[in-house]
Amino acid sequence: MSAKDYLATLRTSPRVRKYLRRALIALLSTYAAYLLLANVFLGFHLLDRAVTSDDGTVELRTGRAYSFIPGRASVRDFVLRLDNENMQVRLTVARATTSVNLFKLLSREIKLSGVEASGVSFRIRMRVDAIRPDNAERVAAFPDIEGALGPPLL
């Protein structure tokens, strides 16, 4: 039997067609479940709620966010603000597309690659123990950070 005849037999075999149909249904069902879960998670801002802390030290806000390709996501109006004992940080991004390692998410880690972003602004100011005459000029030059918990004092 030649390879061509063997392939023709596989194509016409009801058993093979049944397994191929089941595999196709499983693949399409998995993709549909991904689309539903990822876009509900992103679209209803569940990511924002999961990351934002109750004490105000971490805040994440996103505008429109979506994913049509597994592991690839797009977001608009992204704002991340961090406020800890050493510094205050604010990152804003107008538009971004990135690849997300989905397996790392299972262990509560985020690994992004291939990030393409526009309209990016990054502000950071270090905390100081007090505003004195010797550091007043430097502290005055620190950028404003919208939503920060007070001045950059320790």
Side-chain angles (χ1 to χ4, degrees), residues 62-103:
T62 57
R64 187 170 190 277
Y66 56 91
S67 176
F68 295 118
I69 300 170
R72 191 87 178 142
S74 296
V75 66
R76 292 183 183 199
D77 304 322
F78 175 93
V79 177
L80 176 64
R81 186 187 49 75
L82 306 169
D83 199 334
N84 67 23
E85 63 275 357
N86 296 318
M87 66 183 136
Q88 296 171 323
V89 176
R90 182 178 168 96
L91 172 67
T92 59
V93 180
R95 292 178 86 157
T97 302
T98 186
S99 292
V100 180
N101 184 327
L102 298 175
F103 296 108

Side-chain angles (χ1 to χ4, degrees), residues 23-84:
L24 182 62
I25 289 170
L27 184 66
L28 291 176
S29 299
T30 302
Y31 179 66
Y34 169 81
L35 282 178
L36 178 69
L37 293 174
N39 288 296
V40 164
F41 189 72
L42 294 171
F44 287 101
H45 305 287
L46 299 178
L47 177 63
D48 301 13
R49 292 182 193 141
V51 172
T52 299
S53 66
D54 292 334
D55 63 1
T57 57
V58 178
E59 177 189 14
L60 176 67
R61 287 190 326 234
T62 57
R64 187 170 190 277
Y66 56 91
S67 176
F68 295 118
I69 300 170
R72 191 87 178 142
S74 296
V75 66
R76 292 183 183 199
D77 304 322
F78 175 93
V79 177
L80 176 64
R81 186 187 49 75
L82 306 169
D83 199 334
N84 67 23

Side-chain angles (χ1 to χ4, degrees), residues 4 11 18 20 75 80 86 88 94 99 105 134 144 154:
K4 187 176 182 179
R11 270 190 243 129
K18 180 173 85 172
L20 288 176
V75 66
L80 176 64
N86 296 318
Q88 296 171 323
S99 292
L105 290 177
D134 64 328
D144 261 349
L154 290 174

